[in-house]
Amino acid sequence: MAVKIRLARHGSKKRPYYRVVVADARSPRDGRFIEEVGRYNPLTTPKTISLDLEKIADWQVKGAQLTDAVAALVKAANEGERAAAEPKKSKKQLAKEAKAAEEAAAAAAEASEE
């Protein structure tokens, strides 16, 4: 039996909430599973990741395969969530900040010349 550790989607429409489950690879995404080993909520700030890393390691020793999404969550849980701490900025916002930095540098240069 091929076993995978993957995400099972719960929550309402456009409000996803995921459970990290150990399931047979042939079962449906939200169907029957063997064991729940964690939870993931992408809507909170910062994103909530609660995993039982010991259970995940035990299942991996037994031959369970992590999906790409769960592997990323495990990596984030091990390292701490540094990537989500800083929100992404649009190109307009980055250009605006660069212009403000240039103006501040010019003002500082003028002040040092006087």
Side-chain angles (χ1 to χ4, degrees):
M1 175 168 76
V3 178
K4 293 208 177 237
I5 301 175
R6 64 184 182 198
L7 297 176
R9 189 182 192 281
H10 292 274
S12 60
K13 182 177 176 183
K14 300 201 181 204
R15 304 283 299 163
Y17 179 83
Y18 298 95
R19 292 182 184 171
V20 181
V21 297
V22 178
D24 183 359
R26 298 170 293 181
S27 65
R29 178 191 71 184
D30 300 334
R32 188 171 53 170
F33 58 89
I34 300 167
E35 183 178 12
E36 181 181 330
V37 293
R39 294 172 182 258
Y40 169 58
N41 188 351
L43 298 180
T44 60
T45 304
K47 297 176 181 175
T48 305
I49 301 172
S50 62
L51 301 173
D52 190 343
L53 297 174
E54 292 177 10
K55 284 185 181 180
I56 291 173
D58 288 343
W59 277 104
Q60 283 184 300
V61 168
K62 294 176 185 175
Q65 299 293 313
L66 297 175
T67 60
D68 293 339
V70 173
L73 289 177
V74 169
K75 183 178 177 184
N78 285 333
E79 295 177 355
E81 186 112 14
R82 288 177 286 195
E86 191 172 323
K88 294 181 181 177
K89 296 181 181 178
S90 67
K91 289 181 181 178
K92 281 186 177 181
Q93 183 65 26
L94 291 172
K96 190 175 184 180
E97 289 176 0
K99 184 177 179 182
E102 288 176 12
E103 291 175 357
E110 289 178 14
S112 64
E113 289 177 4
E114 294 177 359

